[in-house]
Amino acid sequence: MAFDNPEVVSERTPVFSQPYDKTEFYIGLCLAISSSVFIGSSFIIKKKALIRLNRTGAVRASAGGFGYLREWIWWAGLLSMGVGEAANFAAYAFAPASLVTPLGALSVLVAAILSSRFLNENLNLLGKIGCVLCVLGSTVIVIHSPKEEEVESLSELLTKLQDPGFITYVVAVVSLSVFIALCVGPRYGHQNVVVYITLCSAVGSLTVMACKGLGLALKETLYGERNEMGNWLTWIFLWTVMLCITVQMNYLNKALDLFNTGIVTPVYYVLFTTLVIVASTILFREWQHLNGEDMLGNLCGFLTIIMGIVLLNAFKDMDVSMLDVRGLMRPKHDMLLPCSDDRGGLWASYGSPHVTHNSI
């Protein structure tokens, strides 16, 4: 039979991408986690610098001022972000983008914890539950992430860059960014946090794609497979990364100056991660060989992280603690307390909107 002939089988069997080396995969994972720690810290450090600058009466960053360049604290924050981005950049050379990018949720966790300590922002019980959900969601994504390399050389990547789908995506991102920078930003950037964050996230998705390509070039060069430093594509990736990071830094500073860190960080994470996954799917096709279980696992992990981020920030101003939980677990007859409400009732339930904690 034809199936007994190995030559026939090899001709008809599709060639699949080779799996990631286990050691390299875990190196990329560790780099991604350390990146989140440095980047999460950088948000707090730069916010401290902006607060300090505003107290001096200097022109705010949101108004086009660049006084923060004279603040050493801001430079420390920039250094922290630089280290984090370097680790993040290295992670893309060892692990798939659809794994590295969602792990950025850990930077939200770090920012939430540090903001409660150094910016006097509240981290209540719901915020702590959100932190746990971020960790759980990240773990699920690690377990179900793609384990196969889709691009092994710059020549393969160059072919994928010419794909009409990716070209359309790049044109759409550039057009959207210019439109926001020139038309939408000056009008609505001070009113809605999504405006500047959308621009940062869209440009950031191109940064990640360029980082992946640059990391691939450096990896080939260091491993001695081929010297890619003379390849024109390597330098295009480098200049793209530098330009995109400059744009991101400028508009992220404006968003941080205008809005609370607890709002900027999660919104940036959700939009940035979503657009990176879209761009990665179009260019690298990292999800091509995932089975249904892994796709569902990645989706559940991502949604779990989003729920954790919502709990971290949407309810951060509520005074919720374990005492409130214990109160809800009390017997019903203990939860009925005598008080006078607006309707003239003699009894009201603990937790009723007509009963404040001060009256209990």
Side-chain angles (χ1 to χ4, degrees):
M1 295 178 62
F3 292 103
D4 295 331
N5 189 344
E7 294 181 1
V8 176
V9 174
S10 63
E11 289 177 0
R12 296 184 180 182
T13 302
V15 179
F16 293 98
S17 301
Q18 66 176 22
Y20 278 96
D21 180 83
K22 230 176 211 184
T23 303
E24 291 187 355
F25 181 84
Y26 286 114
I27 289 175
L29 177 61
C30 293
L31 287 170
I33 293 174
S34 63
S35 167
S36 296
V37 174
F38 282 106
I39 292 176
S41 302
S42 73
F43 280 106
I44 307 305
I45 298 173
K46 289 199 290 185
K47 182 67 176 182
K48 288 283 288 185
L50 293 173
I51 292 175
R52 179 175 173 176
L53 182 66
N54 293 339
R55 289 174 180 170
T56 64
V59 180
R60 298 169 65 100
S62 58
F66 294 94
Y68 56 84
L69 295 176
R70 295 191 297 270
E71 287 287 338
W72 69 268
I73 297 179
W74 186 88
W75 284 105
L78 182 64
L79 177 62
S80 177
M81 176 166 280
V83 173
E85 292 293 351
N88 196 49
F89 161 73
Y92 284 115
F94 294 98
S98 51
L99 165 68
V100 176
T101 304
L103 288 181
L106 298 179
S107 67
V108 180
L109 185 153
V110 172
I113 294 175
L114 294 181
S115 64
S116 66
R117 174 66 178 83
F118 296 103
L119 300 181
N120 298 321
E121 296 180 4
N122 187 33
L123 182 62
N124 56 24
L125 178 63
L126 295 178
K128 294 173 183 177
I129 294 175
C131 290
V132 174
L133 288 177
C134 286
V135 174
L136 292 177
S138 299
T139 304
V140 172
I141 287 178
V142 170
I143 294 173
H144 294 282
S145 64
K147 302 297 190 300
E148 294 181 341
E149 290 187 274
E150 294 297 334
V151 180
E152 300 175 19
S153 65
L154 279 187
S155 58
E156 292 181 26
L157 181 56
L158 179 60
T159 302
K160 290 182 177 291
L161 288 172
Q162 299 172 20
D163 184 79
F166 184 69
I167 293 175
T168 302
Y169 178 80
V170 173
V171 171
V173 166
V174 173
S175 302
L176 176 65
S177 301
V178 172
F179 179 68
I180 291 177
L182 299 180
C183 302
V184 181
R187 288 187 177 183
Y188 305 105
H190 295 70
Q191 304 172 17
N192 196 321
V193 67
V194 176
V195 175
Y196 288 135
I197 296 302
T198 299
L199 193 156
C200 289
S201 302
V203 174
S205 67
L206 298 183
T207 306
V208 170
M209 299 303 104
C211 280
K212 184 76 174 178
L214 189 57
L216 183 62
L218 293 176
K219 186 178 176 182
E220 283 190 75
T221 301
L222 293 175
Y223 281 13
E225 299 176 5
R226 184 178 304 154
N227 185 7
E228 297 290 1
M229 298 311 296
N231 192 323
W232 60 271
L233 191 57
T234 302
W235 294 99
I236 287 182
F237 285 143
L238 179 60
W239 284 107
T240 300
V241 169
M242 294 173 62
L243 175 63
C244 291
I245 288 179
T246 302
V247 174
Q248 282 179 263
M249 183 182 69
N250 182 38
Y251 286 96
L252 185 59
N253 275 332
K254 291 186 177 183
L256 282 170
D257 190 36
L258 290 167
F259 303 98
N260 192 291
T261 309
I263 299 298
V264 172
T265 306
V267 173
Y268 181 54
Y269 167 77
V270 173
L271 291 178
F272 176 66
T273 303
T274 302
L275 290 176
V276 167
I277 290 176
V278 170
S280 179
T281 302
I282 295 172
L283 180 59
F284 297 113
R285 305 184 188 278
E286 291 177 337
W287 294 57
Q288 186 173 357
H289 301 305
L290 286 182
N291 57 36
E293 292 179 359
D294 287 332
M295 286 186 178
L296 182 61
N298 275 283
L299 180 61
C300 290
F302 185 48
L303 292 177
T304 301
I305 292 173
I306 291 177
M307 287 189 291
I309 290 174
V310 170
L311 286 177
L312 260 171
N313 297 276
F315 307 102
K316 65 182 303 180
D317 294 327
M318 295 180 62
D319 187 13
V320 181
S321 65
M322 283 300 298
L323 293 177
D324 299 289
V325 176
R326 292 172 185 170
L328 293 173
M329 297 175 66
R330 293 168 57 190
K332 287 186 178 181
H333 61 82
D334 290 339
M335 295 174 65
L336 294 174
L337 301 173
C339 67
S340 59
D341 58 12
D342 296 338
R343 297 170 295 181
L346 296 177
W347 295 85
S349 172
Y350 177 83
S352 167
H354 294 279
V355 181
T356 64
H357 290 283
N358 292 332
S359 64
I360 296 178

